[in-house]
Amino acid sequence: MSKQIRFNAFDMNCVAHQSPGLWRCPGDQSWRYKDIEYWQDIARIAERGLFDAVFIADVLGTYDVFDGNDLAAIRQGAQVPVNDPVQLAAVGAAVTEHVGFGITAGTAFEHPVPFARRLSTLDHLTKGRVGWNVVTGYLPSAAKNLGQHDLVEHDARYDHADEYLEVIYKLLEGSWEDDAVVRDAESGVFTIPEKVHHIGHHGTFFDVPGIHLSEPSPQRTPVVFQAGASPRGVRFAAENAEAIFIGGPTKEIARSTVQRIRKALVDAGRGRYDAKIYLLSTIITDETAAGARAKHADLLSYASVEGTEVFFSGWLGVDFAAYDLDQPLGAVQSNAIQSALAAFQGDNERGETWTVRDIVRLGGIGGQGQVFVGSPSEIADTLVDIVEETDVDGFNLAYATTPGTFEDVVDLVVPELQRRGVYPQEYAPGTLRHKLLGAGDRLPANHRGAQYRVGGPLSTIDDVTGTGRPDPASGPGPTTA
Amino acid sequence: MSKQIRFNAFDMNCVAHQSPGLWRCPGDQSWRYKDIEYWQDIARIAERGLFDAVFIADVLGTYDVFDGNDLAAIRQGAQVPVNDPVQLAAVGAAVTEHVGFGITAGTAFEHPVPFARRLSTLDHLTKGRVGWNVVTGYLPSAAKNLGQHDLVEHDARYDHADEYLEVIYKLLEGSWEDDAVVRDAESGVFTIPEKVHHIGHHGTFFDVPGIHLSEPSPQRTPVVFQAGASPRGVRFAAENAEAIFIGGPTKEIARSTVQRIRKALVDAGRGRYDAKIYLLSTIITDETAAGARAKHADLLSYASVEGTEVFFSGWLGVDFAAYDLDQPLGAVQSNAIQSALAAFQGDNERGETWTVRDIVRLGGIGGQGQVFVGSPSEIADTLVDIVEETDVDGFNLAYATTPGTFEDVVDLVVPELQRRGVYPQEYAPGTLRHKLLGAGDRLPANHRGAQYRVGGPLSTIDDVTGTGRPDPASGPGPTTA
């Protein structure tokens, strides 16, 4: 295999993340999520394993589809309580040198001007090790609590997100020229003002006439992460993302998704491999195959049926409380339940004889992702096979318990993969983007965001006076007091 | 003197902060503001000096009143570029144990639901060492760039801020009961859902029906910082603030401001000393008086006239570019210029013979705050005198250069004050709030925010079903799928 396998640690600023109930497992430390030391430990472990990034998911609401309320989610600690992911990147970066930090933030809830400054600040503080996982809004409970009575319709959300990214690109790529900051004590010039441009954005959703507030950071635009499986979502990802997260219950489905994404990348004017694709998975391993199976059985004993129902109800938009868990799947007339089944069809050897409970049980660890159980050698066989058969670039690793699941991968699987020559022996130098794509710190010229640079085809900077400022003759501009 | 003097370090995520041009001084390191290590150094120095907090100011726009544009501000590095302050607290907390972090954030630009979560996250990560400096919006350029065509009128901004804080208090104080999170592995209950309440806020500006997303942090509501000098601003501060920042060019003016604030605290149903009051000041010191004066002269030689004009134009709302710097003040017909003069009247021994340049020169270090120059003993005399005469609790210390100005205070002035018994010998234990006010980690019962607690007189939690959820009989509630 010519490709080197890549790993991300998939985590969230809460307990148990994708494995509801596993916070009860004695070894689990996810309850320390409120502490700096916990996140610094996670960052160190990921760096020891040469992971690309610690990827922090997020929700801004509760899972309240199950039984029509949020009681079960709260009882189970099912992604609630949940803290802000943004503040974790710098604390992790403070004790590591290479590993990246992927931070989830939505386009629906914060104005792009302060958010762009948060991104620049993150990229400065981490010295170019930050990724932004773009989500377009998701839980209805979040929208309600933020005074938006309904999430706007799915495709329209992507239109809104399109313009949001346009503003972000203009601010991060098109406002400050690389050599604007000179810090020249002799002349007293800190920044050459003619090299800092008003972006002059006047769009459907946003009106941003002025400059970005931060000077250029190592990557400018952080590495863009995305997970979107719908046709509109894939188009959005293909136009913007540099790391794409997918699910895939079977190799066939994963391969088909990867092919669809790679084709969309080409359709967006980019290269087939200009975005790395990671398959959501959970790895349960131990020194021996028997040990791994015993560990899996032990972990499963802590999984929460109710917590899993809470997640499936939220993800699929159907209330699992309405179903008898012991009902055979063949008798369930529900597209959503059949979709849930589809997520596990790789495991469904029993087919029609399965019950709802079987599905819920399988989702108890690692959510809708696949769970691989085995010795390091078995796991390595599986991963290599998947990469060869599906053309994914790597795996987005959920945990059963943390940091245990990650430590097992780092201590047992990574060395096995390295022995086989299919995993890096050391980090590549440079920023997260350069580590991922090997072509420099900044967005490549064929990326959408690069088109908004000064002189680029999509730049809208107000520059008619040659000073980077609007023409005073055209009336009161945004800088007129 | 019975009172112990308190210090805050006043800083900002940018260069030079209140001392434009001082980034040119060879010893200044504020250009390292983009680095984690810089902020960890500042935090360590402040903790070595037993400071209450590192207080990070912020603006979300540029100073563009001077000459009607932002060119001079950019050229001078005058609070632009400027990065996000929020991300600095956790990195500083990671290497310190006691010092607090005061983070500035506006009520105008982020919805209170995600912002409340940022506050809880900050308070968790710092283990109860965070303060929130509430600003109601300030630079017109920020409003324009965020699509608000004008800042709303001054008093109306405070009405909006009042409701913003109401939502914040409801979320932080009134949603989760102290014993809601039980993390009981036996029963599988992480949180008792009946102890997590929907806040049911339906106001003029915000509609927030649901729960707060974070579990209770050590302080719940961070220590509330405020700086507002107008009558409406003082009322707002008296109702909310626990640390208040004032300017005062003379002892008489400072004393009058302190009296006005202490009376307003009582009018708001609180104690006269329920908020600590800090006077904006800059201390230039050295081993000897002559050394301090020489240092001051050297520092002043790096101050930027244009940068100071940029700040005064922004702060006072009048374009200093319109004035001849060498015009005698007596001949200037401008209320704003006369106000600028008032800010320095303590120094104005020359009175009417002053020119505009004299004012600008005096503002070149430390902005509108007083600058004290002298040996440690002279400085100690001055500070003790001010505290005795004005009833301030301490000083909000701006810097000429950083970390130099802070190091001088910590290494020279703090020991002198300690020898005199007017400065703490060690930190008090506990959270920032307990260190400041000595009465526990949480808002005291007589504070406005405490009224929103479960069972409190202003609580609006939806609780008619006894489950903390709206009555299902009253129709689709916020949790109905």
Side-chain angles (χ1 to χ4, degrees):
Chain A
M1 188 173 71
S2 61
K3 211 182 259 182
Q4 299 279 292
I5 291 174
R6 319 189 74 99
F7 284 150
N8 264 301
F10 191 37
D11 209 326
M12 191 160 166
N13 204 345
C14 64
V15 298
H17 188 201
Q18 300 263 310
S19 299
L22 270 289
W23 58 263
R24 297 181 293 166
C25 185
D28 184 66
Q29 297 187 31
S30 65
W31 56 275
R32 292 173 53 212
Y33 78 94
K34 296 169 295 182
D35 296 339
I36 287 173
E37 297 75 12
Y38 171 76
W39 291 104
Q40 294 189 327
D41 287 347
I42 296 286
R44 285 192 193 95
I45 291 163
E47 178 147 303
R48 183 154 55 83
L50 308 177
F51 285 23
D52 287 330
V54 178
F55 172 15
I56 321 272
D58 191 31
V59 291
L60 257 170
T62 52
Y63 287 82
D64 60 3
V65 174
F66 180 78
D67 209 22
N69 61 57
D70 56 13
L71 298 172
I74 293 171
R75 181 164 46 241
Q76 295 293 334
Q79 299 186 4
V80 61
V82 57
N83 279 351
D84 178 22
V86 171
Q87 299 169 49
L88 302 180
V91 303
V95 296
T96 54
E97 192 184 344
H98 288 290
V99 70
F101 298 89
I103 298 301
T104 298
T107 54
F109 301 129
E110 185 173 30
H111 192 280
V113 166
F115 182 67
R117 192 176 67 152
R118 285 195 215 283
L119 290 179
S120 291
T121 305
L122 279 163
D123 202 48
H124 278 302
L125 291 173
T126 63
K127 297 189 168 61
R129 289 194 275 151
V130 77
W132 169 32
N133 179 40
V134 184
V135 297
T136 59
Y138 167 57
L139 289 176
S141 61
K144 277 183 211 138
N145 231 17
L146 279 98
Q148 302 175 354
H149 285 282
D150 286 296
L151 281 173
V152 286
E153 186 265 326
H154 178 268
D155 281 14
R157 273 200 279 125
Y158 276 104
D159 294 340
H160 177 275
D162 264 339
E163 187 182 330
Y164 193 96
L165 265 80
E166 183 180 329
V167 177
I168 295 286
Y169 291 138
K170 286 175 177 175
L171 290 168
L172 296 179
E173 300 287 332
S175 184
W176 293 62
E177 296 187 40
D178 278 341
D179 53 356
V181 175
V182 291
R183 195 161 65 87
D184 181 359
E186 187 100 8
S187 65
V189 174
F190 190 86
T191 304
I192 300 169
E194 291 76 12
K195 296 193 176 195
V196 183
H197 303 276
H198 286 217
I199 67 166
H201 177 85
H202 306 287
T204 305
F205 303 100
F206 302 107
D207 193 41
V208 183
I211 69 164
H212 184 42
L213 291 167
S214 301
E215 61 181 291
S217 65
Q219 301 182 115
R220 287 189 180 252
T221 300
V223 174
V224 181
F225 288 13
Q226 232 267 318
S230 69
R232 187 67 182 85
V234 168
R235 200 180 94 208
F236 183 84
E239 287 171 352
N240 298 287
E242 303 169 275
I244 297 175
F245 299 90
I246 68 168
T250 67
K251 283 188 285 191
E252 291 67 32
I253 292 174
R255 180 169 55 222
S256 154
T257 302
V258 171
Q259 284 175 341
R260 201 153 50 93
I261 290 170
R262 301 233 187 264
K263 178 173 181 308
L265 284 166
V266 173
D267 291 346
R270 303 170 65 194
R272 290 176 66 77
Y273 293 92
D274 282 2
K276 300 294 180 191
I277 302 175
Y278 299 81
L279 180 68
L280 177 62
S281 319
T282 306
I283 292 172
I284 309 295
T285 190
D286 208 309
E287 308 270 341
T288 66
R293 280 161 191 49
K295 186 180 283 184
H296 184 232
D298 180 57
L299 291 167
L300 261 186
S301 74
Y302 295 101
S304 161
V305 168
E306 186 182 58
T308 311
E309 290 182 296
V310 164
F311 284 150
F312 277 123
S313 298
W315 293 332
L316 301 167
V318 64
D319 182 0
F320 270 60
Y323 297 102
D324 176 359
L325 281 176
D326 296 311
Q327 199 172 4
L329 274 173
V332 176
Q333 303 297 319
S334 159
N335 290 336
I337 293 284
Q338 297 302 329
S339 304
L341 173 63
F344 297 103
Q345 62 183 260
D347 304 287
N348 185 8
E349 292 165 9
R350 287 193 286 155
E352 296 283 304
T353 70
W354 272 28
T355 63
V356 176
R357 188 186 302 278
D358 287 315
I359 292 180
V360 169
R361 198 181 53 80
L362 278 169
I365 289 181
Q368 290 180 287
Q370 286 196 63
V371 180
F372 306 127
V373 182
S375 68
S377 172
E378 288 174 332
I379 297 291
D381 289 345
T382 300
L383 301 185
V384 167
D385 180 54
I386 288 175
V387 170
E388 287 181 335
E389 298 272 327
T390 67
D391 199 23
V392 297
D393 297 289
F395 300 87
N396 188 33
L397 299 177
Y399 65 81
T401 63
T402 173
T405 302
F406 296 136
E407 286 179 314
D408 288 345
V409 171
V410 168
D411 295 335
L412 300 172
V413 177
V414 166
E416 175 65 25
L417 294 171
Q418 287 174 324
R419 268 190 294 276
R420 297 183 185 201
V422 295
Y423 196 87
Q425 299 292 333
E426 59 182 5
Y427 274 110
T431 59
L432 176 59
R433 175 170 288 116
H434 187 67
K435 284 179 165 70
L436 276 187
L437 303 167
D441 299 332
R442 302 288 172 81
L443 286 175
N446 67 355
H447 188 282
R448 177 188 169 202
Q451 315 311 311
Y452 295 98
R453 290 179 185 148
V454 178
L458 297 179
S459 169
T460 53
I461 59 172
D462 282 328
D463 213 11
V464 290
T465 61
T467 66
R469 300 296 169 277
D471 184 356
S474 71
T479 58
T480 304
Chain B
M1 189 173 72
S2 61
K3 210 182 259 179
Q4 298 279 291
I5 291 175
R6 316 188 76 98
F7 285 149
N8 264 300
F10 190 37
D11 208 327
M12 191 160 168
N13 205 346
C14 64
V15 298
H17 188 200
Q18 301 262 312
S19 300
L22 271 288
W23 57 262
R24 295 182 294 166
C25 185
D28 184 66
Q29 295 187 33
S30 64
W31 58 274
R32 292 172 53 212
Y33 78 94
K34 297 169 295 181
D35 296 340
I36 288 173
E37 297 75 12
Y38 170 76
W39 291 103
Q40 295 189 327
D41 287 346
I42 296 286
R44 285 192 193 95
I45 292 164
E47 179 148 302
R48 185 154 54 82
L50 308 177
F51 285 22
D52 287 329
V54 178
F55 172 15
I56 320 270
D58 191 31
V59 292
L60 256 171
T62 51
Y63 287 81
D64 59 4
V65 173
F66 181 77
D67 207 22
N69 62 56
D70 56 11
L71 297 172
I74 294 171
R75 181 164 45 239
Q76 295 292 334
Q79 299 186 6
V80 58
V82 56
N83 279 352
D84 179 21
V86 171
Q87 299 169 49
L88 302 180
V91 302
V95 296
T96 53
E97 192 183 344
H98 288 289
V99 69
F101 299 88
I103 297 300
T104 298
T107 55
F109 302 128
E110 186 173 30
H111 193 280
V113 166
F115 183 67
R117 191 176 68 153
R118 285 196 215 282
L119 290 179
S120 291
T121 305
L122 278 164
D123 202 48
H124 279 301
L125 291 174
T126 63
K127 296 189 167 61
R129 289 195 274 150
V130 77
W132 169 32
N133 178 41
V134 184
V135 295
T136 60
Y138 166 58
L139 288 175
S141 61
K144 277 183 211 139
N145 231 18
L146 280 98
Q148 302 174 354
H149 285 282
D150 286 295
L151 282 172
V152 286
E153 187 265 325
H154 178 269
D155 281 15
R157 272 199 279 127
Y158 277 103
D159 293 342
H160 177 275
D162 264 340
E163 187 181 332
Y164 193 96
L165 264 81
E166 182 180 331
V167 177
I168 295 286
Y169 291 138
K170 286 175 177 174
L171 291 167
L172 296 180
E173 301 287 331
S175 184
W176 293 63
E177 296 187 39
D178 278 341
D179 53 356
V181 175
V182 291
R183 196 162 64 89
D184 180 1
E186 189 98 8
S187 65
V189 174
F190 190 86
T191 304
I192 300 169
E194 291 75 12
K195 296 193 176 196
V196 182
H197 304 276
H198 286 217
I199 66 165
H201 177 86
H202 306 288
T204 306
F205 302 101
F206 302 106
D207 193 42
V208 183
I211 70 165
H212 184 41
L213 291 167
S214 301
E215 61 180 290
S217 64
Q219 302 183 115
R220 289 189 179 253
T221 300
V223 174
V224 182
F225 288 13
Q226 232 267 317
S230 70
R232 185 68 182 86
V234 168
R235 200 179 95 208
F236 184 85
E239 286 170 353
N240 299 287
E242 302 168 276
I244 298 176
F245 298 90
I246 67 168
T250 66
K251 282 189 286 192
E252 291 67 32
I253 292 175
R255 179 168 58 222
S256 155
T257 303
V258 171
Q259 284 176 341
R260 199 154 52 94
I261 290 170
R262 300 234 187 263
K263 177 172 181 310
L265 285 165
V266 174
D267 291 346
R270 302 170 67 194
R272 290 177 65 78
Y273 293 92
D274 282 2
K276 299 294 179 191
I277 302 176
Y278 299 81
L279 180 68
L280 177 62
S281 321
T282 305
I283 291 172
I284 309 295
T285 190
D286 208 309
E287 308 271 341
T288 65
R293 282 163 193 38
K295 188 180 281 184
H296 184 233
D298 181 56
L299 291 167
L300 261 187
S301 74
Y302 295 102
S304 161
V305 167
E306 186 183 58
T308 310
E309 289 182 296
V310 164
F311 284 151
F312 276 123
S313 299
W315 292 333
L316 301 167
V318 64
D319 182 0
F320 270 59
Y323 297 102
D324 176 359
L325 282 175
D326 295 311
Q327 198 172 3
L329 276 173
V332 176
Q333 303 298 319
S334 159
N335 290 336
I337 292 284
Q338 297 303 327
S339 305
L341 172 63
F344 297 104
Q345 62 184 258
D347 303 287
N348 184 8
E349 292 166 8
R350 286 195 286 156
E352 296 282 304
T353 71
W354 272 27
T355 63
V356 176
R357 188 185 302 276
D358 287 316
I359 293 180
V360 168
R361 198 180 54 81
L362 278 169
I365 290 182
Q368 290 179 286
Q370 286 195 61
V371 180
F372 306 126
V373 181
S375 68
S377 174
E378 287 174 332
I379 297 290
D381 290 346
T382 300
L383 301 184
V384 168
D385 179 55
I386 288 175
V387 170
E388 287 181 335
E389 298 272 327
T390 67
D391 199 24
V392 297
D393 298 288
F395 299 88
N396 188 33
L397 298 176
Y399 65 81
T401 64
T402 174
T405 302
F406 296 135
E407 287 179 313
D408 287 346
V409 170
V410 169
D411 295 334
L412 300 172
V413 176
V414 166
E416 175 66 24
L417 294 171
Q418 287 174 323
R419 269 191 293 276
R420 298 182 184 201
V422 294
Y423 196 87
Q425 300 291 333
E426 59 183 3
Y427 274 110
T431 59
L432 176 60
R433 176 170 288 116
H434 187 68
K435 284 181 165 68
L436 276 187
L437 302 167
D441 299 332
R442 302 290 172 80
L443 286 175
N446 66 355
H447 187 282
R448 176 189 170 200
Q451 316 311 312
Y452 296 99
R453 290 179 184 146
V454 178
L458 298 179
S459 170
T460 53
I461 61 173
D462 282 328
D463 212 11
V464 292
T465 62
T467 66
R469 299 297 169 278
D471 184 356
S474 70
T479 58
T480 305

